[in-house]
Amino acid sequence: MIKSNLDLKLLEKCAGCGACYSICPSCVIIPGYDPREVIKDILAGEFDKWLDSKHIWQCLECHYCLEMCYQHYGFENAMTALRTIATKRGKYPPQVKRGWDMFAKSSRLGEPAMPARKKFGLPEPKASGKDEFLKLHELVLKAREAEAKKTGTDRG
Amino acid sequence: MKDFAVFWGCTIQARFPFLEKSSRIVFEDFELPYKEIDGFTCCPEKSLIDNVDHEMFVVTAARNVALADEKGIDIVSPCTGCVSNLATVKGELESNPKEKETVNNLLKEIGREFDGSAKLSHLVPFFHDSVGVHKIKQTIKKNFEGMKISAHYGCHMIRPSHALRNDDPIDPVKYDNLIRALGAEAVETDTKLMCCGQGLDRVDQHDNALHMARMKLKELIAAGADALTVCCPSCFLQFDNNQFLMMREGEKLGLPVIYFTELLGLALGHTAEELGLTAHRVSAEPFLKKWAALTGDNQTEINDGLNAVGEL
């Protein structure tokens, strides 16, 4: 499962220089947060043990590790892959689920605040692309289903 | 200058409409050719959407870009997250023709096509590069001489650099140049490029989020900054709202957080009320009072913030 979410060959090339660790804000402030440990386990085929850990949600996706990595990889990619797998198994913070559900239903993460708009004299907001978006979502799911049938695998 | 569509994003319109107000004011004052178009959705946000379904992340962003592509216009956004997410997908599709084809096959069924011709810009580098520091200096009516202001770029204004290519991702200068163009001293700090930490609130880790906000605020207060300026609704939420929550618990903070468009709007001669600074949860008054004293202007007094508009 991890292979469809992460390029392990690239991950194996990590030279362990530690530039990512030295610049990561979560590594600075959160005791016990060290994605290098996670990567070790991924390479040893033991990524499963991190799926319940809150640490995989502590990556801020600030992309700083990506910029500092001389291979332009960064451990953020490994954390993103684990979050995706955890999510597929229904293991995610409640807020992530709420956010996704609102997005899937309305195409947005919040609707324009109408009373406040009026107070500030702002014009009527432009229409969202909700209908098109819902159709697109349906098309994506259909294509995925067809692909799964064809290959007989769950791409997840 | 080419016409551009404003991509307001969900957060500004849902939670901080006053930031839309100040953005409109500065667009008008600089007579910028901004358009508003129907059909935009969430960019979409990376941590909530990409982690759950990468394919939906990609097609949704591609569709948003396609709306500007087909009108032959660019996109400018006052939200760093929106620009970064749209640019990340644009970069991914431009470097992967096969994926682009798959996405376009899907978009075709709803009558859209992504070609990536729309240039995507965040408002800060846009003002720096397309409006220009010289033009800004010529246009402003008042400057911030004697004020110390620190820029928080926000991770996604400049990163990932391979997709955004708008400033140095580990030593950016443009926001600081703009502060100096407005006459203020640009305060440098050790936490200049540190993530604001708001992402931790999105995954139910509020205490860690507060901890990160505190680190930056304390450093800035110790450095004698009069204000922190941001141009990202997520960073604004972190430093304004979360700072307010910490102050309510008795922490001595109180550093005004001023959006880039508000700062520019003040320099253009607009009042704090007009720009919506009254809706901030942390009062901007200490900043405005000091500035008024320096400029000998009594017009900038405002009522203390915490009005209903800023309620969450």
Side-chain angles (χ1 to χ4, degrees):
Chain A
M1 191 173 198
I2 188 100
K3 281 184 189 158
S4 60
N5 291 288
L6 195 63
D7 187 341
L8 292 181
K9 281 235 160 60
L10 207 54
L11 200 59
E12 277 165 13
K13 293 201 178 359
C14 166
C17 74
C20 49
Y21 184 78
S22 72
I23 208 71
C24 168
S26 286
C27 295
V28 173
I29 68 143
I30 302 173
Y33 180 76
D34 188 349
R36 295 175 303 181
E37 295 299 316
V38 181
I39 288 173
K40 253 188 231 162
D41 285 330
I42 291 175
L43 291 175
E46 295 171 358
F47 69 89
D48 278 66
K49 66 187 196 195
W50 289 97
L51 298 180
D52 287 306
S53 168
K54 66 177 179 196
H55 285 317
I56 62 173
W57 297 96
Q58 288 166 339
C59 161
L60 288 152
E61 304 179 325
C62 69
H63 312 317
Y64 217 156
C65 59
L66 182 74
E67 303 290 351
M68 291 303 281
C69 176
Y70 74 95
Q71 291 165 307
H72 208 58
Y73 191 67
F75 50 41
E76 178 185 335
N77 288 313
M79 305 307 272
T80 300
L82 289 184
R83 283 193 295 259
T84 301
I85 296 169
T87 301
K88 287 212 167 79
R89 297 191 185 172
K91 299 170 179 196
Y92 38 40
Q95 226 171 316
V96 173
K97 168 134 180 53
R98 278 200 300 277
W100 168 264
D101 287 348
M102 190 188 290
F103 170 73
K105 204 172 127 194
S106 71
S107 85
R108 293 203 278 218
L109 290 174
E111 294 301 316
M114 298 311 288
R117 292 188 73 80
K118 208 170 162 194
K119 184 185 160 166
F120 289 111
L122 292 166
E124 195 69 19
K126 288 285 171 183
S128 86
K130 183 182 165 188
D131 293 344
E132 252 181 60
F133 165 84
L134 293 176
K135 206 172 157 196
L136 191 58
H137 193 186
E138 215 172 277
L139 289 166
V140 168
L141 295 178
K142 251 190 217 159
R144 196 172 292 170
E145 212 175 283
E147 175 81 11
K149 250 186 209 161
K150 205 171 84 189
T151 58
T153 53
D154 173 9
R155 289 196 309 153
Chain B
M1 184 187 291
K2 201 169 162 187
D3 287 1
F4 62 88
V6 187
F7 197 96
W8 296 110
C10 305
T11 311
I12 286 180
Q13 290 206 316
R15 302 183 77 162
F16 308 119
F18 50 94
L19 300 179
E20 180 178 331
K21 174 79 176 180
S22 57
S23 300
R24 285 176 185 273
I25 287 175
V26 301
F27 288 158
E28 291 289 338
D29 280 15
F30 282 93
E31 298 176 349
L32 301 178
Y34 75 101
K35 303 269 176 272
E36 290 189 89
I37 61 175
D38 283 327
F40 284 143
T41 62
C42 177
C43 50
E45 207 270 340
K46 184 179 183 290
S47 62
L48 299 175
I49 311 306
D50 194 22
N51 286 327
V52 180
D53 192 330
H54 181 66
E55 214 170 339
M56 275 309 287
F57 176 72
V58 171
V59 295
T60 306
R63 184 188 156 280
N64 281 325
V65 176
L67 295 176
D69 282 348
E70 59 197 41
K71 289 188 164 52
I73 59 180
D74 292 335
I75 288 178
V76 174
S77 178
C79 172
T80 61
C82 290
V83 178
S84 179
N85 291 324
L86 293 173
T88 297
V89 170
K90 187 181 166 188
E92 183 173 319
L93 296 181
E94 281 173 343
S95 60
N96 188 341
K98 209 177 147 202
E99 189 184 6
K100 183 175 162 184
E101 195 188 326
T102 308
V103 166
N104 268 333
N105 283 339
L106 285 164
L107 289 177
K108 200 175 164 187
E109 298 204 38
I110 55 163
R112 304 281 175 204
E113 186 189 356
F114 165 90
D115 70 30
S117 58
K119 187 175 178 238
L120 314 174
S121 307
H122 179 268
L123 203 128
V124 165
F126 173 80
F127 262 91
H128 187 278
D129 300 339
S130 300
V131 177
V133 168
H134 185 62
K135 171 86 178 165
I136 293 170
K137 279 185 182 166
Q138 277 181 331
T139 311
I140 57 172
K141 298 193 170 77
K142 295 154 92 177
N143 67 42
F144 291 105
E145 213 182 311
M147 302 295 284
K148 293 172 78 171
I149 302 175
S150 185
H152 177 76
Y153 282 73
C155 306
H156 301 136
M157 186 190 296
I158 46 177
R159 299 190 290 265
S161 61
H162 66 265
L164 290 161
R165 293 175 300 215
N166 58 14
D167 206 338
D168 188 320
I170 49 178
D171 188 18
V173 295
K174 290 181 183 173
Y175 208 163
D176 292 279
N177 287 346
L178 292 172
I179 291 174
R180 285 189 284 267
L182 299 180
E185 178 190 336
V187 182
E188 289 280 344
T189 60
D190 290 341
T191 56
K192 178 174 176 178
L193 291 188
M194 195 170 106
C195 175
C196 71
Q198 173 57 210
L200 292 164
D201 252 342
R202 284 199 287 277
V203 294
D204 300 298
Q205 299 193 23
H206 186 56
D207 287 348
N208 283 331
L210 291 186
H211 185 52
M212 285 194 65
R214 191 182 288 120
M215 277 176 79
K216 179 156 201 122
L217 291 166
K218 284 199 161 166
E219 191 194 1
L220 282 173
I221 291 166
D226 297 306
L228 167 65
T229 181
V230 300
C231 198
C232 166
S234 186
C235 301
F236 182 80
L237 178 67
Q238 171 76 337
F239 293 119
D240 187 58
N241 189 59
N242 274 349
Q243 181 179 192
F244 170 75
L245 296 179
M246 289 187 281
M247 288 163 73
R248 205 170 57 181
E249 296 298 313
E251 292 190 44
K252 293 208 182 324
L253 297 164
L255 183 72
V257 183
I258 319 275
Y259 219 66
F260 171 67
T261 49
E262 295 172 336
L263 203 61
L264 191 53
L266 288 169
L268 289 162
H270 296 279
T271 64
E273 282 89 349
E274 208 184 327
L275 293 160
L277 270 90
T278 41
H280 292 200
R281 302 202 99 191
V282 175
S283 175
E285 196 154 350
F287 175 83
L288 295 167
K289 270 193 169 156
K290 180 176 171 185
W291 190 39
L294 284 171
T295 54
D297 183 356
N298 296 320
Q299 302 301 310
T300 42
E301 295 252 341
I302 60 164
N303 298 322
D304 201 81
L306 318 186
N307 287 343
V309 177
E311 290 295 322
L312 296 171

